[in-house]
Amino acid sequence: MSAPRRFTGHWRMKVAVIGAGIIGITTAYELAADGHEVTVFERRSAAAEEGSFANAGVVAPGYITPWAAPGMPGKVLGQLFSRHVPVTLSLPLSGRELAWLWQWRRACQLETHLANRARMQRLAHYSRNRLQQLSTELELDYECSPGYMVLLRSEKDSRQITPSLQVLSDAGVSFRQISAEEARQIEPALSPDTALHGAVHLPDDGVANCRQFALLLKNEAQRLGVSFEFNKAVAQMDRAQPASFLIAGEASPRHFDQVVLCAGQASAELLRPLGLKLPLVAVYGYSLTAQIRDPLNAPCSALMDERYKVSISRLGHRVRVAGGAEIGGSLESRSASAIQTLYKVLQDWFPGAAQRSSRQGNAQLWKGARPMLPDGPPLIGSSGRTGLWLNLGHGASGWALSCGSARALADLMAGRPTDIDMEGLGLGRLA
Ligand SMILES: Cc1cc2nc3c(=O)[nH]c(=O)nc-3n(C[C@H](O)[C@H](O)[C@H](O)COP(=O)(O)OP(=O)(O)OC[C@H]3O[C@@H](n4cnc5c(N)ncnc54)[C@H](O)[C@@H]3O)c2cc1C
C-alpha cells in the first residue's frame, strides 16, 4: 500500500468536505495528509452523530456482501409477517423506496451480485489494511477486539451458509468451520441453554468502535490543519458552479476548488437540484449498548447470529447488540419488535452479560440509517460535475469500507493511480 504523498506548490487545493461521519472524517484526513487545505462542514454540533454513531463496529472484509443477492427477494417476502425478522417494510413506502426495491430486485441476479460482491470485497480488504496502517502509525487507541464468529443455530442455518463459505475460500479468506464445542471454547460465556449447531470463525476479522476512531482521526486531521465548521448545514449546492454552496443562514455562497460530498443519507437530496438522481435510501437499523455486568458472562469479541442477522459486539466494558433492516418509516419511529429481537438474541446467547435496565442509565438504544444503494457498493469518485466528488452510499459496511474509500478518493482527486482497481465503484455503474 502506498503511503500518502504530499503535494507541493500549485497542487495544493482548497477542498470542502460535506459531512463529518466516518466517511467525511477519513476523507478529510487523507486529503489533508496529501497537503490540501481542507474544511469540513457538518450540520450537527459534533462528528459522527448520525449513521456512524453506534453501529455494530464489525470489520469483516471477507464477510462483506451486497444485500442484493439471489434468493433474497423471496426470503424477505416469505418472512414479512413473522416475528423477529431481519428485514421489515414500514408501509406505506414512498415512490422513491418502491423504485429502489425494484432496482434492488434486479441487482439480485447472480451475475450482478457476484460482480458487486467482488467490488465490495476488494475495497474492504484494502480498507482494513489502511485502517490498521493508520491506527499503528498514528497510535490511535480505540476499543477493538479481534475475531468474528458466525453462530449457526441449526443444521438448516449451516446448509444455507454453505455458498458463502465457498466465496470465502475462493477469496482466500482465513476462516474455520467449527463445532459448537469449539465455538464455546472461543466464547466461553455462550449460553448452554440455546441450541448451537456450529459456527464459522474468522480470526482475522473483528470489531472496533467506529465513533471513537472517527473522533480520534478528527483530532489528527486537525493537527494536519483541517478546520471543522460544526452547526453548518449545507442548504444548496450551486448548479452552475458545483464547487460552491450555500450554508443555511448565510447570505453568500462559499467557494472551493473541489468539494467532496460525504453527507450519508442526506446526499441524494443535495444532489437532486444538480440533476443527479441517486437511488439512495435509508435502511434503518437499531443498536442497544449496555455496560457489562460481569466480564465472565460477556462476549470476548464479535458474533453474528446468522438466523436473526443480529450482531453482538464487545466494545471495551460494554456490549453492543445491533440489527434490523427497516425500509420506509423514519428515524424517529421505533419498531418495538425490532428492539425485542435485539433483547431476545442477547438473552439467548449472553443472558448475564449486560446491565439492561435503562433506569440505571446505562443502556443506550440507537436507531441509525444505512445510506444504501440498491446494488451494494458505494459511489467513490467524480460526480461528473466540475469540482464535485462523491464518497457516499456505503450502506451496511461504511465503517469497514471507510479508510480505503477515503484513500482511493484522495488518489483519484490527485489524478494518481489508485492502489486498487476502482472498476464499478463510481457513478458510471449506475448509468
Ligand atoms: C444498526 C447499524 C449497524 C451497522 N453496523 C455496521 C458494521 O458493523 N460495520 C460497518 O462497516 N458498518 C455498519 N453500519 C453502517 C455504517 O454505520 C454506515 O455505513 C456509516 O456510518 C455511514 O457513514 P457516513 O459518513 O456515510 O454517514 P453518516 O455517519 O450519517 O455521516 C453523514 C454526515 O453528514 C452530515 N450531513 C448531512 N447533511 C448535511 C448537510 N446538508 N450539511 C452538513 N452536514 C450534513 C450528517 O449530519 C452526518 O454527520 C451499520 C449501520 C447501522 C444503522
Side-chain angles (χ1 to χ4, degrees), residues 166-289:
Q166 188 56 48
V167 176
L168 294 183
S169 289
D170 295 347
V173 173
S174 158
F175 76 93
R176 261 183 349 116
Q177 272 178 285
I178 55 177
S179 65
E181 291 68 39
E182 285 175 285
R184 292 184 197 285
Q185 278 164 18
I186 294 170
E187 287 287 354
L190 274 174
S191 169
D193 298 333
T194 300
L196 178 61
H197 178 75
V200 179
H201 187 232
L202 297 104
D204 299 339
D205 294 344
V207 61
N209 190 321
C210 171
R211 178 167 171 265
Q212 268 184 9
F213 176 87
L215 296 179
L216 290 171
L217 197 66
K218 172 190 155 270
N219 295 343
E220 296 297 328
Q222 280 175 313
R223 264 193 268 282
L224 294 179
V226 175
S227 81
F228 283 83
E229 296 204 21
F230 288 108
N231 300 308
K232 294 281 165 67
V234 172
Q236 204 184 331
M237 315 284 293
D238 189 328
R239 196 182 171 111
Q241 299 175 58
S244 303
F245 51 81
L246 197 65
I247 302 274
E250 293 187 0
S252 34
R254 307 276 194 116
H255 302 287
F256 292 86
D257 298 327
Q258 310 284 334
V259 173
V260 189
L261 188 59
C262 308
Q265 187 44 40
S267 304
E269 215 64 56
L270 286 169
L271 289 172
R272 204 161 302 136
L274 306 186
L276 277 172
K277 290 188 183 148
L278 290 191
L280 188 70
V281 306
V283 178
Y284 298 109
Y286 296 83
S287 75
L288 181 79
T289 309

Side-chain angles (χ1 to χ4, degrees), residues 17-26 40-60 64 67 148 206-208 210 229-237 246-247 261-267 270 283-287 304 311 313 320-325 342 366-372 391-402:
V17 172
I18 302 175
I22 187 63
I23 302 299
I25 297 283
T26 48
V40 179
F41 293 89
E42 168 54 53
R43 65 183 174 187
R44 308 282 292 235
S45 56
E49 287 288 300
E50 296 210 353
S52 309
F53 185 78
N55 62 31
V58 174
V59 179
I64 284 183
W67 284 13
Y148 182 55
V207 61
C210 171
E229 296 204 21
F230 288 108
N231 300 308
K232 294 281 165 67
V234 172
Q236 204 184 331
M237 315 284 293
L246 197 65
I247 302 274
L261 188 59
C262 308
Q265 187 44 40
S267 304
L270 286 169
V283 178
Y284 298 109
Y286 296 83
S287 75
M304 165 65 76
S311 65
S313 311
R320 177 168 294 163
V321 200
L342 299 188
W366 173 75
K367 183 175 184 183
R370 303 177 184 89
M372 189 91 84
N391 194 1
L392 52 89
H394 292 73
S397 314
W399 166 219
L401 300 176
S402 58

Side-chain angles (χ1 to χ4, degrees), residues 2 29 33 44 137 157 326-327 388 412:
S2 58
Y29 175 84
R44 308 282 292 235
E137 280 174 12
D157 293 348
E326 204 175 289
I327 299 169
L388 178 60
L412 289 173

Side-chain angles (χ1 to χ4, degrees), residues 299-425:
C300 303
S301 188
L303 304 100
M304 165 65 76
D305 184 319
E306 183 63 17
R307 182 173 305 168
Y308 296 102
K309 303 282 184 211
V310 167
S311 65
I312 307 175
S313 311
R314 171 74 176 257
L315 293 170
H317 300 297
R318 295 174 305 156
V319 62
R320 177 168 294 163
V321 200
E326 204 175 289
I327 299 169
S330 70
L331 205 54
E332 289 72 37
S333 64
R334 293 273 188 270
S335 156
S337 67
I339 296 164
Q340 272 167 21
T341 303
L342 299 188
Y343 277 114
K344 171 191 161 44
V345 172
L346 180 61
Q347 178 67 21
D348 281 356
W349 295 116
F350 297 99
Q355 296 181 354
R356 283 176 19 189
S357 163
S358 54
R359 269 174 314 196
Q360 291 170 320
N362 49 22
Q364 171 201 56
L365 178 65
W366 173 75
K367 183 175 184 183
R370 303 177 184 89
M372 189 91 84
L373 291 155
D375 57 353
L379 293 179
I380 305 164
S382 170
S383 69
R385 310 290 188 270
T386 311
L388 178 60
W389 299 81
L390 310 177
N391 194 1
L392 52 89
H394 292 73
S397 314
W399 166 219
L401 300 176
S402 58
C403 294
S405 301
R407 185 64 249 156
L409 184 80
D411 286 338
L412 289 173
M413 288 177 70
R416 272 194 303 255
T418 48
D419 291 325
I420 56 161
D421 182 2
M422 296 298 286
E423 183 281 323
L425 292 169

Side-chain angles (χ1 to χ4, degrees), residues 28 72 79 134 156 227 348 406:
M72 273 300 280
Q79 292 183 340
L134 287 175
K156 185 175 167 210
S227 81
D348 281 356

